Amino acid sequence: MLQSIPREDTFLHKGLRAKLVDELVKLGIKDAAVIAAIQKIPRHFFLEPGFERYAYENRAFTILANQTISHPYTVAFQTELLAIKKFDKVLEVGTGSAYQTCVLAELGAQVFSIERQKELYDYANHFFYLKKYGTIKRFYGDGFAGLPTYGPFDKIIITAGAPKIPEQLVAQLKIGGIMIIPLGENEQQQMLRLTKLEDGSLQEEHFGSFSFVPMLEGKNDKR
Ligand code: SAH
């Protein structure tokens, strides 16, 4: 299995990463811990070996099951909005390549990540780089349902375009907790930060439009 074989992180890769980080800073990313995590994690490990050269361009890229690894900028932006503190319990919907998952773990979060595509979930079981992070738990399931037995969570991040705010996820968010959700039924979604207030209601802030693959109901076990 190709993904189980460790790969190299060369000076060339590190240099390309430094350039990518410069680009993210120019685009407005400010959080030093987020920047350090992106500088540290070899994003090329998350693409198939033949496509490594695209890993340090600020672009999304197709992965297994016709899904995508998000733009580096989008990962940095969503992570910055989450304001991760060490030991935060974070629910991630849409493991995908697990790149965002590792960025969260690198910031000290305990990550509970759900993926609805069996093929992607299985692939990550053998991915050598994930073995580095003991604080990541992955689940094959439907993100609309969340993980009630593991909640409530300090933070929730959705990395697929959500047609609506999932009620069950709101219920699994702590008071004072934050959910970052790209909301919208079309190709473009609005990035929202929802903060759960004392009375259980949600304070809503908007952060511009983004484009994600859709958040879909149910699991998919096709290979
Ligand atoms: N964070 C990932 C993004 C992957 S794209 C990365 O950067 O690699 C979004 C992912 O969300 C896809 O893998 C898709 O299968 C998954 N997804 C969509 N709807 C879902 C749902 N209801 N539950 C769990 N995962 C879902």
Side-chain angles (χ1 to χ4, degrees), residues 43 46 63-65 67-71 75 78 92-101 114-117 120 139 141-145 159-161 212-218:
R43 189 170 183 266
F46 299 77
I63 54 173
L64 288 178
Q67 300 303 313
T68 56
I69 175 169
S70 300
H71 270 76
V75 172
Q78 285 193 287
E92 178 190 33
V93 174
T95 317
S97 68
Y99 176 69
Q100 170 78 74
T101 322
I114 314 181
E115 174 55 57
R116 69 179 288 278
Q117 296 279 356
L120 277 168
F139 302 82
D142 179 3
F144 277 101
T159 71
F212 285 83
V213 295
M215 181 173 176
L216 301 172
E217 307 258 2

Side-chain angles (χ1 to χ4, degrees), residues 29-41 76 79-80 83-86 102-104 106-108:
I29 301 301
K30 292 187 189 69
D31 188 317
V34 173
I35 291 168
I38 290 178
Q39 180 62 55
K40 184 165 174 188
I41 301 173
T79 311
E80 193 167 77
I84 298 293
K85 292 200 285 292
K86 224 173 172 184
C102 290
V103 170
L104 295 168
E106 193 57 48
L107 291 172

Side-chain angles (χ1 to χ4, degrees), residues 52-211:
E52 272 197 1
R53 65 184 180 282
Y54 299 111
Y56 297 110
E57 293 176 10
N58 186 22
R59 57 181 282 186
F61 203 81
T62 303
I63 54 173
L64 288 178
N66 215 14
Q67 300 303 313
T68 56
I69 175 169
S70 300
H71 270 76
Y73 175 74
T74 305
V75 172
F77 191 75
Q78 285 193 287
T79 311
E80 193 167 77
L81 287 178
L82 271 180
I84 298 293
K85 292 200 285 292
K86 224 173 172 184
F87 308 122
D88 267 354
K89 264 176 83 174
V90 181
L91 174 67
E92 178 190 33
V93 174
T95 317
S97 68
Y99 176 69
Q100 170 78 74
T101 322
C102 290
V103 170
L104 295 168
E106 193 57 48
L107 291 172
Q110 301 174 51
V111 194
F112 298 77
S113 185
I114 314 181
E115 174 55 57
R116 69 179 288 278
Q117 296 279 356
K118 185 82 165 48
E119 189 178 5
L120 277 168
Y121 173 79
D122 287 346
Y123 180 88
N125 285 339
H126 304 285
F127 181 25
F128 74 91
Y129 191 69
L130 277 180
K131 313 234 181 310
K132 183 174 145 72
Y133 295 102
T135 50
I136 294 175
K137 286 196 173 63
R138 291 179 307 100
F139 302 82
Y140 168 51
D142 179 3
F144 277 101
L147 294 169
T149 49
Y150 292 88
F153 298 96
D154 298 292
K155 314 274 163 73
I156 297 180
I157 173 172
I158 300 182
T159 71
K164 58 182 184 214
I165 297 172
E167 293 291 331
Q168 297 184 68
L169 298 191
V170 175
Q172 290 166 39
L173 190 60
K174 287 185 189 170
I175 299 290
I178 292 174
M179 185 190 306
I180 307 299
I181 174 169
L183 189 69
E185 287 188 274
N186 303 321
E187 305 220 323
Q188 297 271 311
Q189 300 89 30
Q190 282 296 308
M191 190 66 80
L192 259 55
R193 176 165 63 192
L194 306 174
T195 307
K196 194 167 179 178
L197 305 178
E198 287 285 346
D199 64 0
S201 67
L202 295 173
Q203 176 195 315
E204 190 175 308
E205 298 163 278
H206 290 234
F207 293 91
S209 56
F210 286 78
S211 180

